[in-house]
Amino acid sequence: MRPGLSFSRLALLAVFTLAMLLTSFMSSMARVNAQATSTTQIGSAFEQASSEFGVPAPLLKAICYMEGRLSNHGGSPSVDHGFGCMHLIQNQRGDTLDQAASILGVSTDQLKTDIATNILGGAAVLHAEAEQLSSTHTL
C-alpha cells in the first residue's frame, strides 16, 4: 500500500470505481434495449406500410436504409431538403412531403419526426406514383 493511502480511502476509491463501472454498464444496457425496441417498431412499420399500400417491404427497407440509414435524423432535412429515412422531399424539384401528408391526413411535422409515419408516407407516395405511371392507373 502507498504511504498516506489509508484503508478507508482505498475502500472509498474501490466503491467509487465500482459505482462508475455499474453506471456505465446500466447506461449501455438501456441503449441496447432502446435500439431493440426501435428496431421492432421500424420492422412493424415496414410491414404495415407494405400491407396498406402494396409496396414490397424489402423495397421500403432498402430505400429507408439507402436514403436515411434507418433514421429520421431528428426531423432535420438533408442537404437537398429530404426528410426522414424515406427522404420525402420539399424543394424546387418536387414536394413528396406535402403529397404524403395529404394522402395520410397527417402533418408534415409528423412525417419529419416519426419514423413509422415517414415509412407510411414513403409507401403512399410510391403507390401513388405507380398508379400514375400505369397505363390502366392500377398497380
Side-chain angles (χ1 to χ4, degrees):
M1 198 158 35
R2 279 186 13 202
L5 193 59
S6 69
F7 180 75
S8 60
R9 281 190 165 179
L10 188 58
L12 185 61
L13 180 61
V15 168
F16 178 74
T17 302
L18 182 61
M20 293 303 291
L21 288 172
L22 186 60
T23 301
S24 176
F25 175 75
M26 295 303 286
S27 176
S28 295
M29 290 307 294
R31 278 194 304 273
V32 167
N33 287 339
Q35 288 171 347
T37 300
S38 178
T39 302
T40 302
Q41 290 170 345
I42 291 172
S44 63
F46 289 123
E47 296 307 318
Q48 179 187 354
S50 178
S51 174
E52 191 169 331
F53 292 103
V55 180
L59 176 62
L60 295 172
K61 290 175 184 178
I63 292 170
C64 188
Y65 179 76
M66 291 301 295
E67 293 293 342
R69 299 293 190 254
L70 303 174
S71 173
N72 263 13
H73 308 287
S76 297
S78 67
V79 293
D80 56 349
H81 296 277
F83 293 90
C85 75
M86 297 304 285
H87 203 254
L88 299 172
I89 61 168
Q90 193 171 45
N91 61 28
Q92 294 122 353
R93 289 178 285 152
D95 190 354
T96 57
L97 184 68
D98 281 329
Q99 181 184 6
S102 176
I103 294 169
L104 296 178
V106 299
S107 71
T108 56
D109 286 339
Q110 186 175 350
L111 284 164
K112 292 175 185 179
T113 58
D114 181 62
I115 194 162
T117 306
N118 189 271
I119 292 166
L120 276 171
V125 169
L126 288 170
H127 177 95
E129 292 293 321
E131 281 186 334
Q132 184 181 15
L133 291 172
S134 167
S135 61
T136 61
H137 297 288
T138 60
L139 293 179

